[in-house]
Amino acid sequence: MNSYRIKAASDSNGKVGDHFVSGGKFVKEGELANDAQVIDAKGLTILPGFVDLHTHLREPGKEDAETVLTGSMAAAAGGFTAISAMPNTLPVADTAGVVEQVYRLGKHHGICDVYPIGAVTVGQRGQVLAELSAMNQSEAGVRIFSDDGYCVYDPLVMRRALEYVKTFDGIIAQHAQDPRLTEDSQMNEGEVSARLGLKGWPAVAEEAVIARDVLLAEHVDSRLHICHVTTAGGVEIVRNAKRRGIMVTAEVTPHHLLLTDDLAESYNPVYKVNPPLRTRNDVQALREGLADGTIDIIATDHAPHPHESKDCEWDAAAFGMIGLETAFSISYQVMVETKLLTLAQLVDRLSKIPAQIGRYEDHGSIDEGMAANFTLADLGARWQVERSKLESKSRNTPFDGLDLPGVISKTFHNGVLVYERKSK
Amino acid sequence: MKHLLSINDLSKDEAIEILDTAAELARLAEGAVKKFPTLRGRTVVNLFFEDSTRTRISFEAAAKRLSADVINFAAKGSSLSKGESLKDTALTLQAMGADAVVIRHSASGAAHQLAKQEWMKGVVINAGDGTHEHPTQALLDAFTIRRHLKGSEGDLSGIKVGIVGDILHSRVARSNILLLKKLGAEVVLIAPPTLIPVGVSQWGVDVSYSLDDQIKSLEVIIVLRVQKERMNDLYFPTEREYARGYGLNSERMEGMKDKAIVMHPGPMNRGLEISADSADSARSVIVEQVANGVSVRMAVLYLLLGGATFKELSSSGENL
């Protein structure tokens, strides 16, 4: 088994010290084997591996965009040690068989933990509940369910799903999007969409569903997670719901923390994403919501697409952006460099809190006895995003060419070095 | 100006230059010679992903009067309808050596992508992209207004233009608003609230929900085509109710200013947004808009493609 002495790394609070890894766990110095490999981490920061609750791995069915393997490699390159595979694959992950397949592929590759998210409804069609218990009791142990890409729009289906998953401490992750208000919608509805002649996607289409669902979660006393909040109004609804004691958690993506709808002026479909990029005012509200804990976590919504799906007219292009490899750097830039969060607070939102929401017990901490899932980052260094050099199989990053702070140097999964940045 | 994708590509001076050039070309065309050698040897492709006979033949006539070779490429389908992609079509045209591509497409931004994605090198002229823009229509409308109300000279200051109808889905309206404002006109949009885009407050125009309140103050009324299908998307309850509130008819036209003119980009739904007697009235300049369209498109082609060619032609003549 790999054994490491990580020397002189600083932790997220700035405390410098040695960390010891053996048998896949963080151990006391005395438990370290004599032949432990020494890693000089002077100048680097040791952080618990990041945990993504919203990842699209595309396997099975769309392996031209991403596979469990390439997605895992992208995750490791971004400092993630756990990712959560959304069920909108072909076939849809709505049975124990499919979630087990994805889970085993993750285990087989062994680069990070791949936790499948099960579909709430059969075929993600929003009508009939999928066999949620069977997916939970499978080897994959699914706890999070989502029809992501589609909203669980029928209020009765949503209510039943919220109630049903209480039997095994499950959680419904809602993609909040009123389908009627967003038919053929292409981008945020506002001044820019009006000018560009692209069909608008009103903020209320997201907010109305969030409002309904927090009330449903309150009524049936169940756990609700709101995927990718994008609007100032949505943040306010979640803030009020938390004040009322409703068990709601929420995520925001790095791209919604940085980018705004005016980027669509280029008609470059790399900026086409669901939910859409919003206004500067929304971006500010999202940052503040993340800072004050209204929004609990950052999640990537890593959504790979093959080149031809983005190399076409805006209307015809696919929705989505990749984000695993840039998530930490973008988040660090918009939240820590702006002093909205400390490094430790940011890392909680990228690691500890998502691990708690998903009940991913082997993640979120670098304390002794914990599984050795961690990353070493050089926070003083910068790097330039080059889409052709990313580990993901797809190239649809909106951040190509950006110069970003925070270089992921090494990532360890269960005590094994799974990623090391190539020196230039 | 390398391409004409949006009215925003033009400065006020450039827009006026196009109108002046169109006026000159129109004047010359009244003489004995109707055809100019300016674009001889140049290839203009009409790339139409959407049927639009009138816009296509207008560009075709304009290009032919400048002696260009014209290829009409009626692309069946697009990336949207799983036909050939815009990119592959562009690469094909590039391989064939198109000097200019006039593109009509159902997707907003298609002309922009054709020009900016480096799929092809030629000049791109937007002949209507989705619900975004239709800049040559706006230029011909401005030309027509200027001819009637400003003696074909200068800008459009002091003129109030009402645009009536489906602003939300109209590329004609978007280009018209940009150009009319650029040329100093006052613009009021007149439509039911369902057909006014969210975000219109940033456009620097007035908005009214009542045609009757506005009509007496207008020098120009531009009536937009209303797609009958809009009714099914709940934009208005019935055609009859739309016509009652926003349809132009002779009764409504009573009390319009003396020199006020009525315009429509065509094709018209007679009886819906405009009555037959309004369309055929003395105030109507709708047929003239079509004729002016050819002059304006000649001017656009001439200014985007022509100058250099003209020099090349005369210098090669000397060498011979």
Side-chain angles (χ1 to χ4, degrees), chain A residues 34-334:
Chain A
N34 289 333
D35 60 349
Q37 199 177 328
V38 176
I39 292 178
D40 179 9
K42 191 154 175 276
L44 300 180
T45 304
I46 183 167
L47 303 171
F50 307 139
V51 174
D52 189 18
L53 292 190
H54 196 141
T55 326
H56 295 275
L57 294 179
R58 305 300 187 209
E59 189 175 3
K62 299 173 199 164
E63 291 85 355
D64 56 335
E66 196 81 284
T67 63
V68 173
L69 176 61
T70 58
S72 296
M73 287 163 60
F80 287 86
T81 52
I83 55 179
S84 311
M86 278 295 178
N88 58 336
T89 48
L90 284 173
V92 170
D94 59 0
T95 61
V98 181
V99 292
E100 278 191 352
Q101 181 195 352
V102 173
Y103 179 76
R104 283 181 189 153
L105 282 166
K107 278 271 177 241
H108 170 73
H109 299 307
I111 294 168
C112 62
D113 283 337
V114 176
Y115 295 101
I117 291 177
V120 177
T121 62
V122 174
Q124 296 188 301
R125 284 192 292 271
Q127 292 162 348
V128 180
L129 287 186
E131 291 188 355
L132 308 181
S133 278
M135 288 189 266
N136 174 257
Q137 287 156 20
S138 75
E139 192 184 341
V142 177
R143 268 231 177 73
I144 306 177
F145 296 90
S146 180
D147 275 356
D148 184 64
Y150 301 94
C151 182
V152 182
Y153 182 56
D154 184 320
L156 184 63
V157 173
M158 187 62 183
R159 177 200 166 140
R160 294 283 185 256
L162 285 166
E163 287 176 307
Y164 192 76
V165 296
K166 287 165 74 172
T167 51
F168 46 81
D169 188 30
I171 186 166
I172 305 295
Q174 174 69 296
H175 173 119
Q177 178 190 350
D178 184 311
R180 281 288 277 158
L181 286 173
T182 53
E183 280 171 14
D184 302 321
S185 291
Q186 297 293 325
M187 66 171 296
N188 179 53
E189 183 167 37
E191 184 272 324
V192 183
S193 67
R195 182 155 41 86
L196 298 184
L198 291 173
K199 185 146 191 239
W201 185 309
V204 63
E206 178 171 327
E207 294 156 1
V209 173
I210 298 175
R212 180 199 76 179
D213 287 352
V214 295
L215 295 174
L216 280 175
E218 178 177 44
H219 184 60
V220 301
D221 194 31
S222 189
R223 287 209 293 157
L224 168 70
H225 180 72
I226 306 293
C227 296
H228 40 49
V229 177
T230 67
T231 73
V235 174
E236 199 49 44
I237 293 165
V238 173
R239 186 174 285 131
N240 284 325
K242 287 192 163 178
R243 252 182 229 141
R244 283 170 66 148
I246 299 170
M247 288 193 289
V248 58
T249 53
E251 72 190 30
V252 62
T253 72
H255 49 271
H256 289 114
L257 287 171
L258 180 64
L259 308 178
T260 46
D261 63 346
D262 52 322
L263 289 163
E265 283 168 9
S266 64
Y267 287 105
N268 185 343
V270 78
Y271 300 115
K272 180 173 173 175
V273 63
N274 174 356
L277 303 177
R278 303 286 187 182
T279 66
R280 191 145 299 286
N281 179 48
D282 294 306
V283 167
Q284 192 53 37
L286 292 171
R287 292 181 185 186
E288 286 164 11
L290 183 64
D292 72 16
T294 299
I295 297 175
D296 301 80
I297 62 166
I298 293 167
T300 67
D301 196 3
H302 177 83
H305 288 291
H307 187 57
E308 61 272 20
S309 297
K310 289 290 193 180
D311 198 23
C312 58
E313 305 92 298
W314 180 285
D315 285 2
F319 288 98
M321 308 173 161
I322 57 172
L324 283 168
E325 292 164 79
T326 45
F328 174 70
S329 294
I330 299 285
S331 307
Y332 187 84
Q333 176 177 304
V334 302

Side-chain angles (χ1 to χ4, degrees), chain A residues 190-191 194 197 267 311-313, chain B residues 79 87 105 108 113 131 174 202:
Chain A
E191 184 272 324
Y267 287 105
D311 198 23
C312 58
E313 305 92 298
Chain B
S79 311
K87 177 182 179 175
H105 200 289
S108 298
Q113 286 178 301
T131 56
R174 281 175 181 73
Q202 308 287 311

